[in-house]
Structures are given as C-alpha cells and as structure tokens.
Amino acid sequence: MNTAERQPSAVRGAAAVRPGAGGGAGGARGARREGGAGDGRAAPSARALWVEEPANRYRMADPVRTAAVRAVIIVSLTLIQAMVAFFCTLAGSWLAFPMVLSSVASTVVATWGVLDVWVTRQVWKQRHGVVSIPSSTARALRRERRRARRRARSAERARIRGERRGGQQLSHS
C-alpha cells in the first residue's frame, strides 16, 4: 500500500507542489488521472518532505559554535546528574550525598561553559570588527578619523603644490 492509498480522499485530490519537479507553474502535477475512465480526479503527487528555506541569520563563527556545543553538552550532563542525585535522595541511597556535591560542582562548570559562549562571541566580534548598529560609536569614530586623514592629506598636497611653484602666486587678472 503506497502513501497515496493511505491518505484521505480530500488530501489525495489536492495537487501538491514538489520543488524541482517539472510540469508547469510551481511543479504541480495533475496531468495523470486515476482510474482509467476519466473520473475527473487528479493523480496524487508526492509532497516534498524537506523544503530548503533561505537562512534569516548568518551562521555563528566557528569558535562560538564550538563553545556553544561544549556548553550544551556540559549543561545536559549537569541536568542528568542533578536528576540522578534527586532520585538517589528519594531512594535514600548512600550515593545521594556524593551526587549532590558533584552536582554543585557541575553547576559551577556549566555556568562557566555558558559564560564561555558569551565571552567567546564578544571576543570574536571585537577581533573581527562586527558592528551591528549603523549609528554606533565605533563607526562614528572611524568616520571622524577618516575625515581627519583626508583633511591632512589634502593640506599636505596643497603645501607640496605651493612648494613646486616656488612660492609664486600666478595672477589671472
């Protein structure tokens, strides 16, 4: 039994769009008919299970992604350890006290892991000059420095031009 036979008739009659499939606008298939005598129903077409959508955000930088993965693993292990410590406490096991102590230590390590993601992200942004806000102070300072350099260069060119002429003023009158 294929997928089309398992679907209800309302779903079977709708034309599904398959990315990359030929056959008209949007790739809808309806040319084949079910049943030989032309009963008016369109043949079912397979819908795509996965449709690529453009990413709305850029990928994280590699060091930041590495720190994030590390933090997720540490935090998940800490949560599992805390759960085991809780159940050992409920069961009255001798393992409860050491598990609680190690859970406290793991919580400190997990906090460090999450802070590491934040610090790594900030360091990466600072080193690679990512300025997210157009009117930021850093951008305004760079713009001002550029203007000052241009003024200094044009003043230097004017001074050199004056020396080449031998300090003479040409009159145009």
Side-chain angles (χ1 to χ4, degrees):
M1 173 184 274
N2 65 14
T3 307
E5 292 170 349
R6 282 183 274 166
Q7 291 178 340
S9 61
V11 174
R12 262 189 278 152
V17 176
R18 280 181 34 199
R29 290 181 175 222
R32 275 192 335 229
R33 302 279 180 205
E34 267 184 21
D39 55 357
R41 289 189 300 165
S45 59
R47 287 183 287 157
L49 295 176
W50 188 269
V51 178
E52 284 291 327
E53 294 180 4
N56 292 334
R57 295 171 15 158
Y58 293 107
R59 284 177 51 152
M60 279 192 283
D62 287 339
V64 179
R65 191 178 319 113
T66 304
V69 168
R70 188 180 330 127
V72 166
I73 291 171
I74 291 171
V75 168
S76 63
L77 290 176
T78 300
L79 288 174
I80 291 170
Q81 188 175 11
M83 204 167 55
V84 169
F86 174 73
F87 288 133
C88 284
T89 304
L90 287 181
S93 171
W94 63 271
L95 197 57
F97 184 67
M99 286 297 288
V100 167
L101 287 180
S102 65
S103 292
V104 170
S106 293
T107 304
V108 172
V109 173
T111 305
W112 168 84
V114 172
L115 284 175
D116 181 46
V117 174
W118 182 69
V119 169
T120 306
R121 183 171 173 260
Q122 296 301 323
V123 167
W124 191 89
K125 277 183 164 184
Q126 188 175 15
R127 284 187 184 160
H128 297 282
V130 176
V131 180
S132 59
I133 303 171
S135 62
S136 71
T137 309
R139 193 167 287 180
L141 288 173
R142 279 197 305 251
R143 193 178 303 129
E144 191 56 42
R145 274 188 246 128
R146 236 180 280 131
R147 284 182 190 145
R149 268 186 263 136
R150 283 186 199 132
R151 275 188 247 121
R153 270 188 256 132
S154 63
E156 182 66 21
R157 280 193 296 257
R159 187 184 63 78
I160 291 173
R161 239 181 273 130
E163 288 176 1
R164 283 187 194 153
R165 293 180 183 162
Q168 297 176 1
Q169 289 283 335
L170 297 177
S171 63
H172 296 286
S173 50

mmCIF file of all heavy atoms in Angstrom, residues 66-101:
data_model
loop_
_atom_site.group_PDB
_atom_site.id
_atom_site.type_symbol
_atom_site.label_atom_id
_atom_site.label_comp_id
_atom_site.label_asym_id
_atom_site.label_seq_id
_atom_site.Cartn_x
_atom_site.Cartn_y
_atom_site.Cartn_z
ATOM 1 N N THR A 66 31.661 26.171 18.559
ATOM 2 C CA THR A 66 32.334 25.147 19.360
ATOM 3 C C THR A 66 32.041 25.344 20.839
ATOM 4 O O THR A 66 31.724 24.385 21.558
ATOM 5 C CB THR A 66 33.860 25.218 19.121
ATOM 6 O OG1 THR A 66 34.104 25.074 17.725
ATOM 7 C CG2 THR A 66 34.583 24.144 19.889
ATOM 8 N N ALA A 67 32.127 26.596 21.306
ATOM 9 C CA ALA A 67 31.844 26.886 22.712
ATOM 10 C C ALA A 67 30.383 26.585 23.045
ATOM 11 O O ALA A 67 30.075 26.084 24.129
ATOM 12 C CB ALA A 67 32.168 28.338 23.027
ATOM 13 N N ALA A 68 29.475 26.865 22.101
ATOM 14 C CA ALA A 68 28.057 26.616 22.345
ATOM 15 C C ALA A 68 27.771 25.123 22.451
ATOM 16 O O ALA A 68 27.007 24.685 23.324
ATOM 17 C CB ALA A 68 27.219 27.246 21.242
ATOM 18 N N VAL A 69 28.378 24.334 21.577
ATOM 19 C CA VAL A 69 28.183 22.883 21.632
ATOM 20 C C VAL A 69 28.725 22.334 22.948
ATOM 21 O O VAL A 69 28.080 21.510 23.614
ATOM 22 C CB VAL A 69 28.853 22.197 20.420
ATOM 23 C CG1 VAL A 69 28.916 20.697 20.591
ATOM 24 C CG2 VAL A 69 28.119 22.563 19.143
ATOM 25 N N ARG A 70 29.909 22.806 23.333
ATOM 26 C CA ARG A 70 30.505 22.370 24.593
ATOM 27 C C ARG A 70 29.586 22.711 25.765
ATOM 28 O O ARG A 70 29.346 21.891 26.663
ATOM 29 C CB ARG A 70 31.867 23.046 24.767
ATOM 30 C CG ARG A 70 32.660 22.527 25.924
ATOM 31 C CD ARG A 70 34.012 23.215 26.062
ATOM 32 N NE ARG A 70 34.558 23.665 24.803
ATOM 33 C CZ ARG A 70 34.974 24.915 24.565
ATOM 34 N NH1 ARG A 70 34.929 25.823 25.496
ATOM 35 N NH2 ARG A 70 35.465 25.249 23.400
ATOM 36 N N ALA A 71 29.023 23.918 25.753
ATOM 37 C CA ALA A 71 28.142 24.357 26.838
ATOM 38 C C ALA A 71 26.874 23.512 26.888
ATOM 39 O O ALA A 71 26.416 23.135 27.979
ATOM 40 C CB ALA A 71 27.793 25.829 26.667
ATOM 41 N N VAL A 72 26.306 23.192 25.739
ATOM 42 C CA VAL A 72 25.081 22.377 25.720
ATOM 43 C C VAL A 72 25.356 20.992 26.292
ATOM 44 O O VAL A 72 24.556 20.459 27.076
ATOM 45 C CB VAL A 72 24.518 22.290 24.284
ATOM 46 C CG1 VAL A 72 23.486 21.198 24.156
ATOM 47 C CG2 VAL A 72 23.929 23.616 23.871
ATOM 48 N N ILE A 73 26.487 20.407 25.934
ATOM 49 C CA ILE A 73 26.832 19.076 26.449
ATOM 50 C C ILE A 73 27.023 19.128 27.962
ATOM 51 O O ILE A 73 26.505 18.284 28.702
ATOM 52 C CB ILE A 73 28.085 18.526 25.738
ATOM 53 C CG1 ILE A 73 27.755 18.216 24.281
ATOM 54 C CG2 ILE A 73 28.605 17.283 26.449
ATOM 55 C CD1 ILE A 73 28.958 17.874 23.438
ATOM 56 N N ILE A 74 27.755 20.140 28.449
ATOM 57 C CA ILE A 74 28.012 20.254 29.886
ATOM 58 C C ILE A 74 26.707 20.469 30.648
ATOM 59 O O ILE A 74 26.462 19.838 31.683
ATOM 60 C CB ILE A 74 29.016 21.392 30.166
ATOM 61 C CG1 ILE A 74 30.399 21.014 29.642
ATOM 62 C CG2 ILE A 74 29.089 21.701 31.655
ATOM 63 C CD1 ILE A 74 31.401 22.151 29.686
ATOM 64 N N VAL A 75 25.855 21.352 30.146
ATOM 65 C CA VAL A 75 24.592 21.642 30.830
ATOM 66 C C VAL A 75 23.698 20.406 30.841
ATOM 67 O O VAL A 75 23.069 20.097 31.867
ATOM 68 C CB VAL A 75 23.885 22.852 30.175
ATOM 69 C CG1 VAL A 75 22.459 22.993 30.668
ATOM 70 C CG2 VAL A 75 24.654 24.127 30.462
ATOM 71 N N SER A 76 23.644 19.679 29.732
ATOM 72 C CA SER A 76 22.790 18.483 29.707
ATOM 73 C C SER A 76 23.303 17.418 30.679
ATOM 74 O O SER A 76 22.515 16.786 31.386
ATOM 75 C CB SER A 76 22.682 17.933 28.294
ATOM 76 O OG SER A 76 23.938 17.518 27.838
ATOM 77 N N LEU A 77 24.613 17.230 30.729
ATOM 78 C CA LEU A 77 25.165 16.269 31.687
ATOM 79 C C LEU A 77 24.908 16.704 33.127
ATOM 80 O O LEU A 77 24.634 15.878 33.999
ATOM 81 C CB LEU A 77 26.663 16.080 31.447
ATOM 82 C CG LEU A 77 27.047 15.331 30.170
ATOM 83 C CD1 LEU A 77 28.561 15.292 29.994
ATOM 84 C CD2 LEU A 77 26.477 13.926 30.196
ATOM 85 N N THR A 78 24.965 18.007 33.369
ATOM 86 C CA THR A 78 24.688 18.521 34.712
ATOM 87 C C THR A 78 23.235 18.271 35.096
ATOM 88 O O THR A 78 22.944 17.883 36.238
ATOM 89 C CB THR A 78 25.001 20.033 34.775
ATOM 90 O OG1 THR A 78 26.371 20.212 34.452
ATOM 91 C CG2 THR A 78 24.726 20.593 36.148
ATOM 92 N N LEU A 79 22.321 18.476 34.164
ATOM 93 C CA LEU A 79 20.909 18.229 34.467
ATOM 94 C C LEU A 79 20.656 16.748 34.741
ATOM 95 O O LEU A 79 19.905 16.395 35.652
ATOM 96 C CB LEU A 79 20.037 18.717 33.312
ATOM 97 C CG LEU A 79 19.932 20.234 33.173
ATOM 98 C CD1 LEU A 79 19.178 20.603 31.910
ATOM 99 C CD2 LEU A 79 19.246 20.822 34.387
ATOM 100 N N ILE A 80 21.291 15.893 33.967
ATOM 101 C CA ILE A 80 21.144 14.447 34.198
ATOM 102 C C ILE A 80 21.695 14.079 35.571
ATOM 103 O O ILE A 80 21.086 13.317 36.330
ATOM 104 C CB ILE A 80 21.844 13.648 33.079
ATOM 105 C CG1 ILE A 80 21.089 13.831 31.766
ATOM 106 C CG2 ILE A 80 21.956 12.176 33.450
ATOM 107 C CD1 ILE A 80 21.823 13.286 30.557
ATOM 108 N N GLN A 81 22.849 14.641 35.900
ATOM 109 C CA GLN A 81 23.473 14.352 37.192
ATOM 110 C C GLN A 81 22.604 14.850 38.339
ATOM 111 O O GLN A 81 22.458 14.164 39.358
ATOM 112 C CB GLN A 81 24.855 15.003 37.236
ATOM 113 C CG GLN A 81 25.659 14.607 38.431
ATOM 114 C CD GLN A 81 27.056 15.187 38.378
ATOM 115 O OE1 GLN A 81 27.344 16.035 37.554
ATOM 116 N NE2 GLN A 81 27.912 14.731 39.260
ATOM 117 N N ALA A 82 22.005 16.025 38.195
ATOM 118 C CA ALA A 82 21.133 16.556 39.237
ATOM 119 C C ALA A 82 19.894 15.675 39.402
ATOM 120 O O ALA A 82 19.421 15.449 40.534
ATOM 121 C CB ALA A 82 20.731 17.982 38.896
ATOM 122 N N MET A 83 19.379 15.158 38.306
ATOM 123 C CA MET A 83 18.215 14.283 38.368
ATOM 124 C C MET A 83 18.575 12.974 39.089
ATOM 125 O O MET A 83 17.807 12.487 39.929
ATOM 126 C CB MET A 83 17.731 13.990 36.945
ATOM 127 C CG MET A 83 16.293 13.613 36.848
ATOM 128 S SD MET A 83 15.713 13.637 35.150
ATOM 129 C CE MET A 83 16.856 12.552 34.339
ATOM 130 N N VAL A 84 19.733 12.424 38.778
ATOM 131 C CA VAL A 84 20.182 11.198 39.449
ATOM 132 C C VAL A 84 20.370 11.459 40.945
ATOM 133 O O VAL A 84 19.977 10.639 41.788
ATOM 134 C CB VAL A 84 21.473 10.663 38.798
ATOM 135 C CG1 VAL A 84 22.106 9.568 39.634
ATOM 136 C CG2 VAL A 84 21.197 10.171 37.396
ATOM 137 N N ALA A 85 20.933 12.613 41.276
ATOM 138 C CA ALA A 85 21.121 12.950 42.695
ATOM 139 C C ALA A 85 19.775 13.066 43.399
ATOM 140 O O ALA A 85 19.616 12.597 44.538
ATOM 141 C CB ALA A 85 21.890 14.262 42.817
ATOM 142 N N PHE A 86 18.794 13.645 42.737
ATOM 143 C CA PHE A 86 17.458 13.787 43.316
ATOM 144 C C PHE A 86 16.834 12.418 43.564
ATOM 145 O O PHE A 86 16.293 12.146 44.635
ATOM 146 C CB PHE A 86 16.583 14.623 42.368
ATOM 147 C CG PHE A 86 15.153 14.718 42.792
ATOM 148 C CD1 PHE A 86 14.792 15.508 43.874
ATOM 149 C CD2 PHE A 86 14.171 14.009 42.116
ATOM 150 C CE1 PHE A 86 13.472 15.595 44.267
ATOM 151 C CE2 PHE A 86 12.848 14.087 42.506
ATOM 152 C CZ PHE A 86 12.489 14.886 43.588
ATOM 153 N N PHE A 87 16.916 11.528 42.574
ATOM 154 C CA PHE A 87 16.325 10.199 42.745
ATOM 155 C C PHE A 87 17.080 9.372 43.791
ATOM 156 O O PHE A 87 16.473 8.588 44.522
ATOM 157 C CB PHE A 87 16.266 9.459 41.409
ATOM 158 C CG PHE A 87 15.222 10.005 40.480
ATOM 159 C CD1 PHE A 87 15.513 10.274 39.160
ATOM 160 C CD2 PHE A 87 13.940 10.268 40.939
ATOM 161 C CE1 PHE A 87 14.552 10.785 38.310
ATOM 162 C CE2 PHE A 87 12.964 10.778 40.098
ATOM 163 C CZ PHE A 87 13.269 11.042 38.776
ATOM 164 N N CYS A 88 18.398 9.547 43.872
ATOM 165 C CA CYS A 88 19.161 8.854 44.919
ATOM 166 C C CYS A 88 18.739 9.349 46.296
ATOM 167 O O CYS A 88 18.666 8.580 47.256
ATOM 168 C CB CYS A 88 20.661 9.069 44.728
ATOM 169 S SG CYS A 88 21.355 8.093 43.399
ATOM 170 N N THR A 89 18.448 10.639 46.401
ATOM 171 C CA THR A 89 17.996 11.201 47.674
ATOM 172 C C THR A 89 16.629 10.628 48.038
ATOM 173 O O THR A 89 16.389 10.268 49.198
ATOM 174 C CB THR A 89 17.911 12.741 47.576
ATOM 175 O OG1 THR A 89 19.176 13.240 47.170
ATOM 176 C CG2 THR A 89 17.536 13.363 48.898
ATOM 177 N N LEU A 90 15.737 10.554 47.053
ATOM 178 C CA LEU A 90 14.413 9.991 47.325
ATOM 179 C C LEU A 90 14.501 8.522 47.742
ATOM 180 O O LEU A 90 13.745 8.058 48.599
ATOM 181 C CB LEU A 90 13.521 10.107 46.089
ATOM 182 C CG LEU A 90 13.000 11.496 45.742
ATOM 183 C CD1 LEU A 90 12.118 11.432 44.507
ATOM 184 C CD2 LEU A 90 12.220 12.089 46.903
ATOM 185 N N ALA A 91 15.434 7.802 47.136
ATOM 186 C CA ALA A 91 15.575 6.380 47.432
ATOM 187 C C ALA A 91 16.341 6.138 48.720
ATOM 188 O O ALA A 91 16.369 5.007 49.224
ATOM 189 C CB ALA A 91 16.284 5.680 46.277
ATOM 190 N N GLY A 92 16.950 7.167 49.268
ATOM 191 C CA GLY A 92 17.715 7.002 50.499
ATOM 192 C C GLY A 92 19.023 6.285 50.276
ATOM 193 O O GLY A 92 19.554 5.636 51.193
ATOM 194 N N SER A 93 19.586 6.383 49.104
ATOM 195 C CA SER A 93 20.824 5.690 48.776
ATOM 196 C C SER A 93 22.019 6.417 49.391
ATOM 197 O O SER A 93 21.999 7.628 49.590
ATOM 198 C CB SER A 93 20.975 5.630 47.253
ATOM 199 O OG SER A 93 22.244 5.159 46.898
ATOM 200 N N TRP A 94 23.069 5.663 49.659
ATOM 201 C CA TRP A 94 24.300 6.261 50.178
ATOM 202 C C TRP A 94 24.960 7.146 49.124
ATOM 203 O O TRP A 94 25.765 8.012 49.447
ATOM 204 C CB TRP A 94 25.291 5.170 50.613
ATOM 205 C CG TRP A 94 25.746 4.308 49.466
ATOM 206 C CD1 TRP A 94 25.152 3.181 49.033
ATOM 207 C CD2 TRP A 94 26.856 4.547 48.604
ATOM 208 N NE1 TRP A 94 25.816 2.674 47.942
ATOM 209 C CE2 TRP A 94 26.885 3.494 47.651
ATOM 210 C CE3 TRP A 94 27.843 5.529 48.530
ATOM 211 C CZ2 TRP A 94 27.835 3.410 46.660
ATOM 212 C CZ3 TRP A 94 28.801 5.432 47.546
ATOM 213 C CH2 TRP A 94 28.794 4.390 46.614
ATOM 214 N N LEU A 95 24.601 6.941 47.853
ATOM 215 C CA LEU A 95 25.199 7.692 46.752
ATOM 216 C C LEU A 95 24.649 9.122 46.653
ATOM 217 O O LEU A 95 25.195 9.954 45.929
ATOM 218 C CB LEU A 95 24.928 6.936 45.447
ATOM 219 C CG LEU A 95 25.753 7.283 44.226
ATOM 220 C CD1 LEU A 95 27.234 7.102 44.518
ATOM 221 C CD2 LEU A 95 25.329 6.441 43.045
ATOM 222 N N ALA A 96 23.589 9.407 47.425
ATOM 223 C CA ALA A 96 22.928 10.711 47.310
ATOM 224 C C ALA A 96 23.867 11.865 47.674
ATOM 225 O O ALA A 96 23.948 12.860 46.936
ATOM 226 C CB ALA A 96 21.689 10.751 48.190
ATOM 227 N N PHE A 97 24.567 11.758 48.786
ATOM 228 C CA PHE A 97 25.419 12.878 49.221
ATOM 229 C C PHE A 97 26.549 13.173 48.236
ATOM 230 O O PHE A 97 26.732 14.335 47.841
ATOM 231 C CB PHE A 97 25.964 12.603 50.627
ATOM 232 C CG PHE A 97 26.758 13.742 51.179
ATOM 233 C CD1 PHE A 97 26.140 14.956 51.486
ATOM 234 C CD2 PHE A 97 28.125 13.623 51.379
ATOM 235 C CE1 PHE A 97 26.872 16.016 51.983
ATOM 236 C CE2 PHE A 97 28.852 14.683 51.864
ATOM 237 C CZ PHE A 97 28.235 15.882 52.174
ATOM 238 N N PRO A 98 27.316 12.158 47.784
ATOM 239 C CA PRO A 98 28.350 12.464 46.785
ATOM 240 C C PRO A 98 27.772 13.015 45.479
ATOM 241 O O PRO A 98 28.376 13.888 44.851
ATOM 242 C CB PRO A 98 29.040 11.121 46.535
ATOM 243 C CG PRO A 98 28.660 10.244 47.654
ATOM 244 C CD PRO A 98 27.397 10.764 48.218
ATOM 245 N N MET A 99 26.602 12.535 45.093
ATOM 246 C CA MET A 99 25.988 13.034 43.857
ATOM 247 C C MET A 99 25.565 14.495 43.998
ATOM 248 O O MET A 99 25.696 15.280 43.054
ATOM 249 C CB MET A 99 24.779 12.173 43.477
ATOM 250 C CG MET A 99 25.130 10.815 42.931
ATOM 251 S SD MET A 99 26.066 10.913 41.403
ATOM 252 C CE MET A 99 24.827 11.444 40.279
ATOM 253 N N VAL A 100 25.052 14.865 45.154
ATOM 254 C CA VAL A 100 24.651 16.261 45.372
ATOM 255 C C VAL A 100 25.884 17.161 45.338
ATOM 256 O O VAL A 100 25.867 18.240 44.719
ATOM 257 C CB VAL A 100 23.878 16.408 46.704
ATOM 258 C CG1 VAL A 100 23.728 17.870 47.089
ATOM 259 C CG2 VAL A 100 22.512 15.756 46.590
ATOM 260 N N LEU A 101 26.966 16.724 45.981
ATOM 261 C CA LEU A 101 28.200 17.522 45.958
ATOM 262 C C LEU A 101 28.730 17.675 44.537
ATOM 263 O O LEU A 101 29.126 18.779 44.117
ATOM 264 C CB LEU A 101 29.270 16.876 46.842
ATOM 265 C CG LEU A 101 29.049 16.989 48.351
ATOM 266 C CD1 LEU A 101 30.188 16.298 49.090
ATOM 267 C CD2 LEU A 101 28.931 18.431 48.777
#
